[in-house]
Amino acid sequence: MESRRVGILGIQGAVDKHALLLKATGAEARVILHPEELKTVDALILPGGESSTISKGIARLGLREPIQDFVRQGRPVLGTCAGAILLSKRCRNHPVPTLGLLDVTACRNAYGTQVDSFSTGADPGGESQLARMRCVFIRAPRLEDLGPAVEVLLRVDGWPVLVREGSVLAATFHPELADDPRVHALLLKG
Ligand code: GLN
């Protein structure tokens, strides 16, 4: 069953850009700032931004357990960049409290301070629907120590940049900034 109402955590990040891409896939976007609002959506996006700030916002708004329950019930979630950090089970390099929903270690700001933002192409090869994806990285994390259930959908320079574990999708780049709805379409397929 395709999800049609998608929540976007509204604490920080490119909420509008995510909403535009969701509309392009035919879904309805709703900004989420309160636990009750999660009951009105079928899927959830955790945008990029600063994971430390978003993590504090999640705690302040009482959203930690409701988001964990939402995802553990099998509903699809997509985390982009800081959102991917927040989904991870483990975090290093200035660790932040995470939601523990994706069996990876997120290493924050792993591309260093000099080359901290860049855009590059990724291609999984073959007939993949993700061919020739433009990936925008902004002070991105790297995903390491992937658990056995984590599937790598895209790599850049050998590093996983788009992964899936069950209904959990995480991108270390910003699909919402490349005007390409294919990652959002994956979320909607759940
Ligand atoms: N560097 C940020 C962090 O560690 C993530 C940056 C982003 O989301 N673009 O939280």
Side-chain angles (χ1 to χ4, degrees), residues 90 103-105 143-152 155 160 163:
R90 302 166 294 277
D103 192 3
V104 300
T105 301
L143 304 182
E144 305 168 340
D145 307 326
L146 275 58
V150 179
E151 187 189 350
V152 179
R155 289 180 191 272
V163 301

Side-chain angles (χ1 to χ4, degrees), residues 41-116:
V41 295
D42 310 302
L44 180 65
I45 292 177
L46 307 181
E50 202 53 48
S51 53
S52 50
T53 306
I54 301 174
S55 170
K56 280 182 196 147
I58 287 174
R60 181 171 38 84
L61 296 167
L63 277 164
R64 186 179 162 80
E65 285 190 7
I67 292 175
Q68 288 171 326
D69 290 346
F70 182 93
V71 176
R72 286 181 184 139
Q73 284 159 11
R75 277 178 274 183
V77 62
L78 164 66
T80 61
C81 202
I85 296 169
L86 291 165
L87 287 173
S88 69
K89 284 197 172 162
R90 302 166 294 277
C91 181
R92 68 179 189 89
N93 200 18
H94 307 290
V96 296
T98 62
L99 296 164
L101 297 165
L102 174 67
D103 192 3
V104 300
T105 301
C107 177
R108 296 182 63 202
N109 302 321
Y111 293 87
T113 50
Q114 284 182 333
V115 194
D116 49 14

Side-chain angles (χ1 to χ4, degrees), residues 30-45:
R30 297 187 181 180
V31 176
I32 303 291
L33 281 170
H34 300 287
E36 318 81 63
E37 291 162 347
L38 276 175
K39 296 185 186 130
T40 70
V41 295
D42 310 302
L44 180 65
I45 292 177

